[in-house]
Amino acid sequence: MRRTLAIGRNLRTGLSLASLVAGLALLLTAPAAHAADTPLRDLAAAKGKVIGTAVTGSKLTGTYGDLAGAQFGSLTPGNAMKWGTVEPTQGSFNWTEADQIVAFAQAHNQQVRGHTLVWHSQNPSWLTNGSWTSAQLNGLLQNHISTEVTRYKGKIAAWDVVNEPFNEDGTYRSTLWYNGLGSGYIASALNWAHTADPNAKLYINDYNVEGVNAKSTALYNLVKSLKEQGVPIDGVGLQAHLILGQVPATLQQNIQRFADLGVDVAITELDVRMALPSDATKLAQQAADYKSVVAACVAVTRCVNVTVWGFTDSDSWVPSTFPGYGAATPYDENYAPKPAYNGIAEAFGGGTTTPPPTGACTATYSVTSQWNTGFTGQVRISCSGASLASWKASWTYGAGQRITQAWNATCTQSGAAVSCVNASYNGSVPDGGSVTFGFNASWSGSNPVPTVTLG
């Protein structure tokens, strides 16, 4: 289990035993997400793309808000614009969180992707439990779409108008809308949305349609048919909720065939989940997967947007939906960039900072206080012949030690593996200078010194 650690006060225990000090070589890099490096949104823009993230409106403050605003060029409300949220009681509307996200995006020069107008899930109980004639259902849907799209007219770049209309075999999903209105509800929804805001791009969005398969072919045939009928359809959304190591080999081919129909393509809900706990091997594969997906989009001109479904593991839907899985986003729970971040950056043409010369920066790991159940440790990072804009130190404990608190760094622990990155105020280590960070940890039996390596 990954543990979230507090940052802040330097708490030292009064108990004092013999201290253990060991000089350890530390391999360091400046993570690509450091403020001094090019933000993802700028890297994407240089390629003619937009990088986005789904967000929770109530969290758009502090570090979460800072990263959401600085790194991403578009925001998708995770839940704030769904029917069950905006109209929980018939005729009574709640736009609070949706308005908050739109205002944040405007303040940070970001697009908003509206999500979602027509779906079989997260609808209000008054709607799903009602007994409606086809005419009534048609009127309810038209009113909902017109009301919501009109409210945000001119403020939404693209709408996921219809979400998840297909089964895995390519047949239409049995839903309130399909059962009550037939497949024509899709064209109707697109027409109503276009009438309410003629300038918004209108999408159909689904999952497991990333590669060429029966479901994506059904979506392809639908879009082709809609265009032939003159229905306003501007794009398709490929959700891309992926499993580690399972990026479809036909992803770019599939994006291209939709583009060849004359519509835009967006990767709308990208995450790559893994069986927990994470480790260096899994994180490296995840980075490769993210890079592969983004590179496929970069390669197709009409692939316009890549949106991650939450940018930090602390705001991910995966653990609660897929028990035993997680670590699916580009940042860990403490907002430290994972290798996946670098994978995205590299696909957009960015790169990681060149490491300092070997041996130019070192670390001294010390146990400054120890007692029968725990200890206080410290790592001093020193540079001579090089300087650092930011740093990351990782090690693996060999005797079950568990960090319980850290200061002057953001630390995470998964199993025996520990990773610590600089706080916002101490990433810079000048040539001839040093910084320190500390932590409290538990131990039992023995407390061997770990070997510190590149995180």
Side-chain angles (χ1 to χ4, degrees):
M1 177 182 293
R2 183 173 294 221
R3 185 185 299 264
T4 301
L5 303 172
I7 309 171
R9 66 184 186 275
N10 188 338
L11 177 64
R12 297 301 179 98
T13 302
L15 295 175
S16 177
L17 298 177
S19 63
L20 176 63
V21 179
L24 300 174
L26 180 64
L27 300 176
L28 296 155
T29 60
H34 188 269
D37 295 317
T38 306
L40 292 179
R41 61 186 292 175
D42 293 342
L43 292 173
K47 293 291 186 180
K49 314 295 181 183
V50 177
I51 180 74
T53 182
V55 293
T56 301
S58 61
K59 296 182 178 180
L60 285 171
T61 60
T63 303
Y64 182 97
D66 290 344
L67 287 173
Q71 292 289 335
F72 300 98
S74 71
L75 301 182
T76 300
N79 293 296
M81 290 186 176
K82 293 172 181 174
W83 199 334
T85 300
V86 300
E87 194 181 6
T89 303
Q90 189 173 10
S92 178
F93 295 91
N94 179 4
W95 305 104
T96 302
E97 187 185 0
D99 286 352
Q100 179 185 17
I101 293 170
V102 170
F104 182 96
Q106 291 177 327
H108 291 82
N109 193 29
Q110 295 168 303
Q111 297 179 4
V112 178
R113 292 188 60 85
H115 180 80
T116 175
L117 296 172
V118 189
W119 194 24
H120 63 272
S121 186
Q122 290 185 248
N123 290 313
S125 58
W126 65 262
L127 176 64
T128 56
N129 294 334
S131 296
W132 314 105
T133 65
S134 291
Q136 289 173 324
L137 199 60
N138 191 75
L140 288 168
L141 185 57
Q142 181 178 6
N143 180 68
H144 168 68
I145 292 172
S146 299
T147 298
E148 185 157 4
V149 176
T150 298
R151 179 179 183 84
Y152 296 108
K153 182 179 180 180
K155 299 178 180 179
I156 303 292
W159 279 100
D160 291 330
V161 178
V162 177
N163 199 41
E164 301 173 1
F166 290 109
N167 294 314
E168 296 305 299
D169 63 359
T171 58
Y172 282 104
R173 184 190 293 270
S174 176
T175 68
L176 175 68
W177 312 115
Y178 180 76
N179 296 340
L181 302 174
S183 62
Y185 82 91
I186 297 174
S188 295
L190 290 163
N191 279 310
W192 293 329
H194 179 71
T195 298
D197 187 352
N199 294 321
K201 299 292 186 179
L202 307 181
Y203 280 68
I204 301 173
N205 190 54
D206 215 326
Y207 66 93
N208 288 352
V209 292
E210 296 76 34
V212 176
N213 56 36
K215 192 174 188 180
S216 65
T217 297
L219 178 59
Y220 176 91
N221 290 333
L222 171 63
V223 172
K224 184 173 185 290
S225 174
L226 291 170
K227 286 189 68 65
E228 289 170 349
Q229 297 171 53
V231 176
I233 173 71
D234 299 297
V236 294
L238 316 181
Q239 291 185 14
H241 293 297
L242 303 175
I243 301 172
L244 189 72
Q246 296 185 24
V247 176
T250 53
L251 174 60
Q252 183 177 325
Q253 174 190 344
N254 193 41
I255 294 172
Q256 186 66 60
R257 70 166 175 164
F258 280 106
D260 290 343
L261 283 178
V263 296
D264 292 338
V265 181
I267 307 297
T268 53
E269 304 180 23
L270 175 62
D271 51 28
V272 181
R273 64 186 181 269
M274 64 182 70
L276 296 174
S278 65
D279 57 34
T281 299
K282 294 176 184 176
L283 291 173
Q285 179 62 57
Q286 183 183 58
D289 291 346
Y290 269 97
K291 183 176 182 179
S292 176
V293 172
V294 175
C297 182
V298 169
V300 180
T301 301
R302 294 202 68 154
C303 186
V304 297
N305 181 295
V306 177
T307 289
V308 294
W309 202 245
F311 63 88
T312 169
D313 290 342
S314 64
D315 195 41
S316 173
W317 73 306
V318 168
S320 62
T321 308
F322 303 97
Y325 284 78
T329 75
Y331 287 79
D332 68 20
E333 293 95 332
N334 289 327
Y335 306 115
K338 292 153 58 177
Y341 178 99
N342 291 337
I344 296 172
E346 289 167 8
F348 282 132
T352 56
T353 304
T354 302
T358 301
C361 293
T362 59
T364 302
Y365 180 110
S366 61
V367 176
T368 60
S369 184
Q370 183 170 298
W371 55 103
N372 59 345
T373 59
F375 66 97
T376 297
Q378 177 179 281
V379 173
R380 179 181 298 275
I381 300 170
S382 304
C383 288
S384 178
S387 62
L388 296 171
S390 59
W391 45 263
K392 180 177 182 180
S394 301
W395 64 88
T396 301
Y397 278 124
Q401 301 100 316
R402 297 290 306 184
I403 291 183
T404 56
Q405 180 189 28
W407 50 90
N408 298 332
T410 299
C411 295
T412 53
Q413 182 167 353
S414 179
V418 177
S419 179
C420 298
V421 298
N422 59 273
S424 60
Y425 50 82
N426 68 348
S428 177
V429 184
D431 188 359
S434 66
V435 298
T436 62
F437 67 91
F439 49 88
N440 289 328
S442 62
W443 71 292
S444 178
S446 63
N447 190 14
V449 175
T451 300
V452 182
T453 60
L454 172 66

